[in-house]
Amino acid sequence: MLSRLGALLCVALSALPVTAQAAPTAPSPAIKWITEASATLDHWYNPDDGRYRTTNWWNSANALQAQLVASSLLGNDLGEKRAANTYDQNIGTSFRNDYYDDEGWWGLTWLQAYDQTGEKRYLVAAESLFTDMAGGWDLTCGGGIWWSRNRDYKNAIPNELFLSLAAALALRTAGPAAANYKQWALLEWDWFAHTDMINAQGLVNDGLTDDCKNNGRTTWTYNQGVVLGGLADLYRLTGRRDLLQSATSIANAAMTKLTDGNGVLHEPCEAQRCDVDQTQFKGIFVRNLVALNEVAPSSTYTSFTVRNALAVWRTRNQAYQLGLFWSGPFDLADASRQSSALDCLNSALRLS
């Protein structure tokens, strides 16, 4: 099965159409890349607390999601075992904390676990997290949820996650519950689209000022990504083509304005110094590009993702550790960098 998948990927990569740059070809089957990258990520997993060493709380949710997807592609149950342990070790907190975006990351990770295992407890956890996030909504700036319980900043990422989790739950539930989640998703997008956080370049800035204007702060890659997954699922629920148009516009802006001359994705902080949160962002963008491609297939998305996966793999070190700079050079290793890069490798195989 693995060799067949690897062979299919090699054929798909060699057949990719030319876009802005020459189409890449695969030097080796990506199934091997994912096998090695996932195993390396697992070295940072701590079974005693269900988290990944070297990362913050929310990063562990993304690392676990990357490992779950890798397990699905590889046909093993490592991700499912890690998810079960993480759930058991942390369910006493209900995966809640003071930050609504952290809760959104965990909610989406538990939906990934639910999709792969069918275990209802993961769906229940995601629903519980959504309910808590909804408590962060008020009419300051006309709507939206706050970044934290301190209610001192309304910004893009918690609201993108709220949209994504609402739409995903609507697709996985039925009856009044599904209708409620759908209404929340529609309400969230209607608010978000009218905040002007999407700037004139088509990119999403970080958030709003105290007087509810676009604050012009950094256009992080993950802010261009999460919204794609939310809009893709909302399109599934409504069939509204304008949602795909909005998602396509953001995706194209990110692929042209946040990349180098070779089409490799860069985080705006890379020219200075990225912290342990920011090193997570790029993989999130590529993962959500896959979600958009599922409802609006494009050879551009495939070519972009494979090109970045090739760059990621070429810049690995001898221990199969993957760094922040996807175009090189390798800088250092931690679970945030590794899981972000694994997201990219997973996505290349999924798109091919």
Side-chain angles (χ1 to χ4, degrees):
M1 178 63 175
L2 298 189
S3 60
R4 176 175 174 270
L5 283 172
L8 286 173
L9 179 64
C10 286
V11 171
L13 291 174
S14 63
L16 282 175
V18 175
T19 54
Q21 298 85 26
T25 56
S28 61
I31 203 73
K32 171 180 169 56
W33 311 347
I34 295 169
T35 300
E36 300 292 355
S38 179
T40 300
L41 174 60
D42 198 57
H43 290 309
W44 281 291
Y45 184 78
N46 182 0
D48 292 335
D49 64 8
R51 298 172 61 172
Y52 291 79
R53 301 179 183 91
T54 72
T55 68
N56 291 324
W57 172 239
W58 80 274
N59 302 86
S60 284
N62 280 276
L64 179 57
Q65 186 168 2
Q67 200 157 33
L68 278 162
V69 173
S71 287
S72 177
L73 294 169
L74 296 173
N76 65 42
D77 63 354
L78 178 60
E80 287 86 343
K81 287 180 177 178
R82 296 301 184 228
N85 181 67
T86 295
Y87 180 93
D88 290 341
Q89 295 292 339
N90 294 278
I91 189 56
T93 68
S94 299
F95 297 91
R96 297 181 183 182
N97 67 2
D98 288 337
Y99 294 91
Y100 292 119
D101 57 332
D102 287 12
E103 295 185 351
W105 296 118
W106 281 105
L108 292 174
T109 294
W110 293 129
L111 288 186
Q112 182 68 43
Y114 172 70
D115 288 346
Q116 290 183 214
T117 67
E119 292 187 32
K120 189 69 177 293
R121 62 177 180 162
Y122 297 137
L123 177 61
V124 170
E127 290 190 278
S128 173
L129 286 164
F130 178 84
T131 298
D132 196 63
M133 292 175 73
W137 181 284
D138 68 15
L139 295 182
T140 302
C141 295
I145 69 170
W146 294 91
W147 181 41
S148 74
R149 298 186 197 280
N150 289 335
R151 297 182 177 239
D152 55 5
Y153 187 35
K154 280 203 172 174
N155 57 326
I157 196 59
N159 284 286
E160 292 184 22
L161 288 162
F162 190 62
L163 164 68
S164 190
L165 188 55
L169 284 168
L171 290 168
R172 289 162 176 81
T173 53
N180 179 58
Y181 294 132
K182 179 181 176 180
Q183 284 303 115
W184 269 116
L186 288 166
L187 181 64
E188 170 62 55
W189 174 246
D190 182 66
W191 174 80
F192 191 95
H194 290 90
T195 60
D196 292 330
M197 276 191 284
I198 303 174
N199 64 30
Q201 290 186 305
L203 295 172
V204 181
N205 288 107
D206 191 70
L208 300 175
T209 61
D210 290 342
D211 60 350
C212 304
K213 307 294 185 183
N214 184 326
N215 62 17
R217 287 169 57 181
T218 308
T219 52
W220 302 112
T221 59
Y222 78 157
N223 276 334
Q224 322 314 314
V226 175
V227 68
L228 305 182
L231 289 174
D233 277 349
L234 191 54
Y235 168 74
R236 287 189 173 97
L237 290 165
T238 65
R240 283 174 43 185
R241 301 293 300 180
D242 63 297
L243 300 174
L244 293 185
Q245 292 168 357
S246 295
T248 298
S249 176
I250 294 169
N252 288 340
M255 290 188 293
T256 56
K257 296 179 172 68
L258 299 178
T259 55
D260 61 23
N262 295 316
V264 177
L265 192 64
H266 287 267
E267 201 61 53
C269 59
E270 288 179 18
Q272 292 84 36
R273 181 188 177 109
C274 298
D275 64 28
V276 71
D277 287 332
Q278 295 154 2
T279 56
Q280 193 79 53
F281 293 172
K282 289 185 294 187
I284 293 165
F285 172 78
V286 184
R287 184 172 78 217
N288 282 280
L289 194 62
V290 174
L292 176 58
N293 189 76
E294 289 174 351
V295 296
S298 170
S299 60
T300 300
Y301 304 154
T302 302
S303 184
F304 172 85
T305 302
V306 171
R307 183 172 289 106
N308 278 267
L310 287 165
V312 164
W313 192 244
R314 287 170 182 153
T315 58
R316 71 194 184 279
N317 67 12
Q318 292 183 338
Y320 299 107
Q321 294 172 334
L322 309 171
L324 168 63
F325 307 113
W326 289 1
S327 58
F330 177 84
D331 58 334
L332 56 89
D334 58 30
S336 171
R337 288 167 166 81
Q338 189 78 15
S339 56
S340 179
L342 178 58
D343 266 331
C344 184
L345 300 180
N346 288 341
S347 298
L349 184 54
R350 293 173 70 188
L351 285 179
S352 298

